[in-house]
Amino acid sequence: MRSTLLVDIGLLATQDAELGEIRDAAIVVEGESIAWVGPASSAPAADESVGLGGKAVIPGFVDSHAHLVFRGDRAEEFEARMRGMPYGAGGIRLTVANTRAATDIMLRWNVDRLAGELLRAGVTTFECKSGYGLDVETEERSVRIAREFTPEVTFLGAHVVPPDTDRDEYLRLVTGPMLDACAPYSRWVDAFCEQGAFDGDETRSVLEAGLARGLGARVHANQLTEGPGVQIAVELGAASADHCTHLSDKDVDALAASDTVATLLPLAEFSTRAAYPDARRLLDAGATVALATDCNPGSAYSTSMPLAIALAVREMRMTPAEAVRAATLGGARALRRSDVGLIAPGRRADLVALDALSYIHLAYRPGVPLIAQVWRSGVPVLSVR
Ligand code: NIG
Ligand code: FE
């Protein structure tokens, strides 16, 4: 197998507990994987050598929460919000109408376009939810198309109850025929536990049905109000409780004592002009924190993991090191993946070189395109001049 030595890395933030941060570092990539990591002075020989000109290197970002299968946008809703309208779960229904009317080609094009944006933002692994179909046919199309782009597909039939539909009937559909149609393409089941979406009992029944079909659970929890979502996520052993904007002390303790990751989505607070979650409180309690984009046409139409990091540092009391960790290793934990999110021998060679001497610049230089080079599974997939 051909090996490549990446040298002249000014600062390497591996996210590996033992390797830590290495100055003047080198990495040997062999095929799809990382073969060696350490100081350039002790690097082994390789078939070829590539100099990175002193750039900082981090693992590719792992975006563990994104809604990419939809048609149309909601720019007017955003504009109205910026004039003072509150955000609510109801706006989802407009995207549902557009998504149902879209062809497979249109939906595929939308995922492809946003996957391209994610790559240019340094994301090398992403999760993708359904949830804008809300009928058996369109939910099945959504997960099937998502599966063409990522193995991390989430069935979110329980996003809201669609218009003109009886609640109980819809829950029977989501936990029955819709789940049957979507499970073959999905790894995860999710539910939006919120006022205006699904209550605690409904959320539990959807997640339990998914778990019984062999899917893993993740939950939209405590986004707009302090509901039961986090407690249900922890009780059911969900991989992640997402949003976590409104948490009681009991919620924080439950997350800290569990292996359910608290996934924070600051681009949603940014775009809904809401108060940010307090990441410090979760970190100090010992919870594992992930940062993700939540990219969707309603509450957070952004693929910018660097902006999520900048917001986490500026608004949520995370250090730059903690924010980068949450966007890499944290995301990997939220997807229960051990092959990505860190730079260490044997892991997938997913790497990002920054146009900066340190990853601190991701927060220090907000809005500046710092993603210079990206490798996915050892293949150079992006190089910005
Ligand atoms: O994660 N909270 C639920 N779902 C999305 C928003 C969906 C929408 O407004 O279209 C979220 O914020
Ligand atoms: Fe979401």
Side-chain angles (χ1 to χ4, degrees), residues 210-289:
L211 288 165
R213 288 294 305 253
L215 304 182
R218 33 201 336 104
V219 190
H220 277 75
N222 303 48
Q223 175 184 7
L224 307 174
T225 54
E226 202 187 286
V230 164
Q231 295 297 333
I232 292 168
V234 170
E235 249 171 67
L236 296 183
S240 153
D242 299 52
H243 285 284
C244 290
T245 310
H246 298 270
L247 299 181
S248 66
D249 289 344
K250 210 171 138 236
D251 294 331
V252 173
D253 292 345
L255 287 164
S258 73
D259 60 6
T260 299
V261 173
T263 299
L264 308 182
L265 308 164
L267 294 166
E269 276 77 37
F270 179 88
S271 296
T272 58
R273 196 177 275 145
Y276 292 90
D278 184 357
R280 186 84 264 134
R281 190 172 165 221
L282 285 159
L283 288 164
D284 288 349
T288 301
V289 171

Side-chain angles (χ1 to χ4, degrees), residues 74-88:
R74 301 203 327 248
E76 288 77 16
E77 178 188 314
F78 174 79
E79 197 261 354
R81 200 154 62 230
M82 293 304 109
R83 283 190 282 108
M85 289 280 286
Y87 173 76

Side-chain angles (χ1 to χ4, degrees), residues 6 50-52 55-57 60-61 113-124 303 306 349-355 368-385:
L6 305 177
V50 176
L52 297 191
K55 291 185 177 74
V57 170
F61 294 127
R113 169 180 78 85
L114 294 170
E117 284 187 22
L118 284 166
L119 181 68
R120 292 191 291 279
V123 174
T124 49
T303 43
D350 288 356
L351 309 167
V352 169
L354 301 173
D355 241 328
V368 177
L370 295 179
I371 307 301
Q373 281 165 273
V374 179
W375 290 260
R376 198 172 46 204
S377 297
V379 179
V381 284
L382 183 84
S383 180
V384 178
R385 312 244 147 243

Side-chain angles (χ1 to χ4, degrees), residues 65 67 129 156 159 220 243 265 294 296 299:
H65 185 138
H67 309 245
K129 299 175 197 298
L156 179 57
H159 204 180
H220 277 75
H243 285 284
L265 308 164
D294 195 18
N296 75 80
S299 67

